[in-house]
Amino acid sequence: MVLIDTHAHLDSKKLAPDLDRVVSRAKQKGVSRIINVGITLESSQKSIEFAKRYPEIFASVGIHPHDTEELPDNYIEEIKKLVQDNREYVVALGEMGLDYYRNYSPKKNQKETFIKQLELANELQLPVIIHDRAAHEDTLEILEEFKNEVFGVFHCFAGDEKIADKALDLGYFISFTGNITFKKAEELRKVVKQVPLSRLMVETDCPYLSPEPFRGKINEPAYVRLVAEAIAEIKNVDFQEVVSITGENASNLFKI
Ligand SMILES: [Zn+2]
Ligand SMILES: [Zn+2]
């Protein structure tokens, strides 16, 4: 049985100082693989550093939409170099995408950085981890341009059933976090019900979005088990089945 946390930010100040114990608690709960996801060039380097240090950790490198305003001119070359120098540790590009909820960076920069990273993913033949918050239409429109060329996962899915259908049509996986356990997440649970298990993945997005009963506390990969349990309950299927199929999905997409 292999539980895979497909989206963690272990370089966060809340988790990094205690990383040995965070990883060992994850293993105790059956979480034997964790993808650490970069949001800046610096955190992408950290992801690789962790992947080198822990056999359980794999790296994704990329620029989050929040951090697209003040990038160095050569950031794409920098990402490419990080991948090429660390082929055995880097399993994906991202997280990348659009965030119109917070709009920390101008839309123009977000879109440009998203497109450039998709082009790079196509060139390097790596899967992508998509961050889409309140930007479904533009995200899907951009991904449509790369149809049949780039594949990956919508992480921390936050759309409705229609958006999920479109993401599935484009060939993407859909990944859920602890927020599916929140009391008011009825709409999201409808999406969980609808998406076939063969296209689902689980993640924590730690240190954020701790599932119930830990909501509001620091999240960590060990809690991805609670996300898988919630999916089993919502879909009325066996927990072991959720673990084995979501694990297989992640292991096939990321080749881990
Ligand atoms: Zn995200
Ligand atoms: Zn994230």
Side-chain angles (χ1 to χ4, degrees), residues 7 9 95 155 205:
H7 196 111
H9 299 286
E95 55 185 299
H155 108 90
D205 204 9

Side-chain angles (χ1 to χ4, degrees), residues 82-96:
L82 278 178
V83 175
Q84 287 171 336
D85 292 349
N86 299 284
R87 267 287 181 187
E88 69 252 67
Y89 302 107
V90 178
V91 299
L93 290 193
E95 55 185 299
M96 62 174 81

Side-chain angles (χ1 to χ4, degrees), residues 155-168:
H155 108 90
C156 188
F157 189 78
D160 60 14
E161 290 152 291
K162 263 196 201 144
I163 305 297
D165 262 342
K166 287 186 182 158
L168 292 172

Side-chain angles (χ1 to χ4, degrees), residues 6-23:
T6 59
H7 196 111
H9 299 286
L10 300 173
D11 47 305
S12 142
K13 284 190 188 79
K14 291 176 176 155
L15 295 167
D18 203 24
L19 200 48
D20 280 352
R21 269 184 289 190
V22 168
V23 172

